[in-house]
């Protein structure tokens, strides 16, 4: 059994990342089969519960207020509306429901109380509930946990060295502090990043190195291909090739064997064969439904056809073991 290690060196990861791509895939596929059922893929659904108008300057993001994009700002959705969407997602076969808010950080106000109600409601439906709401204090993480939150998504996005080129309104350490608060509240950690933002291979390795040397690996690692959106500073970035996705996914799989590696944003621009390469490289989770937060994603029917063609089946909810003790809280 491949050992779980938190002491990877940057050199070791660089060597894996740069190995011949077919060897890299083969190694990743082997590790994948040691720790996971390779015919299972976790299906998650995203919902933007509060859209746009964000004060941050993340240069990839269509929801930052300072960029002129087509995204229409919308205040926090009503709880009923969110629960109806969660039910739709469950009926369509999703087992994880992730609610995103275009906030810099959570504030202790009525909106947060409403998000806590949403978490309770979605948990009561038997779905793994995930949120991505920006920075969190330890107390806020605990409140989310008490409401039944299963996982929290907070991406490092890129390497520490490249971070300042992408975002100036918060620091890498702020991100790491939030991840630490989430971990301490015994919430499952979801953290990854985006490729295609002008970073070097060294930056890609750097981000994976930070994730793989956290005291505990994240339970899930989303790998996003930049979705270039008109109006953002990243609008003209060239498209990432499937081989770049494969290298990221396969390296993540090898150095964090137990993690769910999510083939996240960017699937609309990939055909079935390209996505199959990513599954072969160790991806075992996707976002389903025709919208991510604000940008398009393949529709459910297309994904059903893909699952059939590739003999994949959706993974059941709450299969994650890890250090996350979780009980469904009865309503
Ligand atoms: N505001 C919160 C935050 O930034 O943590 C939560 C929502 S934010 C939209 C969640 C993540 O979406 C970002 O960290 C980023 O990784 C991803 N994301 C945003 N825009 C993207 C884009 N255009 N392409 C790919 N990923 C994107
Ligand atoms: C993640 O890593 N990717 C998702 C989720 N976590 C929140 C978000 C992708 C957003 C893509 C751009 C958009 O749709 O606004
Ligand atoms: Fe705001 Fe999150 Fe978008 Fe950054 S990524 S601008 S914090 S919504």
């Amino acid at each position: 059994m491949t050992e779980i290690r938190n002491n990877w060196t940057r050199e070791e990861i660089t060597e894996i990342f740069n190995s011949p791509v077919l060897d890299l895939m083969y190694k990743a596929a082997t590790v994948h089969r040691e720790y996971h059922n390779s015919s299972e893929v976790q299906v998650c659904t995203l919902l933007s519960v509060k859209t746009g108008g964000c004060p941050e300057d993340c240069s990839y993001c269509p929801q930052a207020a300072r960029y002129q994009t087509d995204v229409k700002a919308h205040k926090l959705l009503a709880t009923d509306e969110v629960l109806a969407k969660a039910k739709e997602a469950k009926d369509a076969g999703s087992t994880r429901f992730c609610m995103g808010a275009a906030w810099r950080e959570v504030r202790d106000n009525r909106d947060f109380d409403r998000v806590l109600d949403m978490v309770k409601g979605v948990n009561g439906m038997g779905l793994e509930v995930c949120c991505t709401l920006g920075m969190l204090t330890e107390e806020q993480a605990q409140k989310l946990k008490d409401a039944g939150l299963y996982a929290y998504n907070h991406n490092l996005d890129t390497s520490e060295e490249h971070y300042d080129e992408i975002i100036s309104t918060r620091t890498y350490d702020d991100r790491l502090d939030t991840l630490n608060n989430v971990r301490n509240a015994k919430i499952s950690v979801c953290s990854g990043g985006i490729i295609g933002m002008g970073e070097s291979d060294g930056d890609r390795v750097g981000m994976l190195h930070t994730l793989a040397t956290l005291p505990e690996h994240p339970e899930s690692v989303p790998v996003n291909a930049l979705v270039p959106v008109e109006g953002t500073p990243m609008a003209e970035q060239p498209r990432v090739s499937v081989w770049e996705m494969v290298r990221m996914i396969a390296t993540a799989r090898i150095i964090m064997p137990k993690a769910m590696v999510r083939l996240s944003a960017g699937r609309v621009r990939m055909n079935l064969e390209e996505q199959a390469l990513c599954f072969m490289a160790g991806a075992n989770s996707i976002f389903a439904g025709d919208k991510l937060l604000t940008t398009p994603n393949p529709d459910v029917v297309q994904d059903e056809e893909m699952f059939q063609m590739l003999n994949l089946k959706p993974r059941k909810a709450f299969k994650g073991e890890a250090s996350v003790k979780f009980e469904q809280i009865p309503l």
Side-chain angles (χ1 to χ4, degrees), residues 46 62-63 98 132 153 155 222 224 227 264-265 287 292-295:
L46 270 174
Q63 302 199 66
C98 180
T132 180
N153 166 251
N155 290 338
N224 296 278
V227 182
S264 304
F287 285 119
L292 290 165
L293 289 170
T294 65
T295 63

Side-chain angles (χ1 to χ4, degrees), residues 52-69 71 73 104 166-170 230-233:
C54 184
E56 299 289 271
D57 70 351
C58 311
S59 52
Y60 48 78
C61 186
Q63 302 199 66
R66 65 191 73 200
Y67 310 134
Q68 298 303 311
T69 68
V71 169
R104 167 187 163 78
I166 307 294
I167 301 153
S168 76
T169 47
R170 52 174 150 69
E230 222 182 292
T232 65

Side-chain angles (χ1 to χ4, degrees), residues 193-205:
I194 309 176
I195 63 169
M197 304 193 296
E199 72 287 344
S200 65
D201 281 357
D203 290 315
R204 293 177 185 179
V205 166

Side-chain angles (χ1 to χ4, degrees), residues 283-298:
N284 61 350
S285 175
I286 57 165
F287 285 119
D290 54 14
K291 209 156 152 208
L292 290 165
L293 289 170
T294 65
T295 63
N297 194 48

Side-chain angles (χ1 to χ4, degrees), residues 24-265:
L24 175 61
M25 273 178 86
Y26 177 74
K27 176 84 206 289
T30 309
V31 173
H32 188 183
R33 280 152 186 75
E34 281 181 47
Y35 281 92
H36 303 270
N37 178 341
S38 59
S39 62
E40 284 184 355
V41 171
Q42 178 190 46
V43 181
C44 316
T45 297
L46 270 174
L47 177 67
S48 181
V49 296
K50 190 270 166 185
T51 307
C54 184
E56 299 289 271
D57 70 351
C58 311
S59 52
Y60 48 78
C61 186
Q63 302 199 66
R66 65 191 73 200
Y67 310 134
Q68 298 303 311
T69 68
D70 283 344
V71 169
K72 268 216 204 97
H74 197 294
K75 62 183 186 347
L76 187 65
L77 296 178
T79 309
D80 289 356
E81 205 175 328
V82 172
L83 297 186
K85 292 279 185 194
K87 172 144 194 332
E88 255 176 53
K90 186 179 179 185
D91 292 346
S94 272
T95 54
R96 179 175 288 199
F97 190 70
C98 180
M99 299 178 277
W103 287 333
R104 167 187 163 78
E105 77 245 307
V106 167
R107 303 249 169 97
D108 295 297
N109 56 19
R110 275 190 293 184
D111 276 0
F112 183 43
D113 292 339
R114 216 193 300 161
V115 170
L116 294 172
D117 281 341
M118 295 173 189
V119 169
K120 278 187 199 134
V122 177
N123 170 292
M125 290 178 185
L127 287 162
E128 294 179 15
V129 199
C130 175
C131 279
T132 180
L133 313 169
M135 294 186 269
L136 283 186
T137 63
E138 215 163 320
E139 292 73 36
Q140 291 163 341
Q142 193 55 53
K143 281 189 185 167
L144 285 162
K145 173 73 184 177
D146 294 342
L149 189 78
Y150 186 76
Y152 196 79
N153 166 251
H154 201 64
N155 290 338
L156 291 181
D157 284 335
T158 190
S159 68
E160 184 164 13
E161 294 78 17
H162 193 59
Y163 198 78
D164 293 352
E165 306 283 316
I166 307 294
I167 301 153
S168 76
T169 47
R170 52 174 150 69
T171 66
Y172 215 61
D173 280 343
D174 290 334
R175 287 313 256 187
L176 291 168
D177 285 347
T178 293
L179 290 181
N180 195 34
N181 293 339
V182 171
R183 179 55 83 205
N184 288 340
K186 302 250 180 306
I187 295 169
S188 180
V189 173
C190 172
S191 188
I194 309 176
I195 63 169
M197 304 193 296
E199 72 287 344
S200 65
D201 281 357
D203 290 315
R204 293 177 185 179
V205 166
M207 183 186 86
L208 291 172
H209 180 247
T210 304
L211 292 170
T213 53
L214 289 171
E216 269 183 87
H217 295 164
E219 281 76 13
S220 61
V221 178
V223 179
N224 296 278
L226 174 76
V227 182
V229 179
E230 222 182 292
T232 65
M234 293 278 151
E236 301 304 327
Q237 281 295 316
R239 183 185 166 184
V240 304
S241 89
V242 67
W243 303 111
E244 296 175 270
M245 284 300 271
V246 160
R247 279 195 191 278
M248 263 328 259
I249 289 169
T251 308
R253 167 56 64 226
I254 294 166
I255 63 178
M256 294 174 278
K258 277 205 226 166
M260 302 300 291
V261 178
R262 185 167 308 118
L263 170 56
S264 304

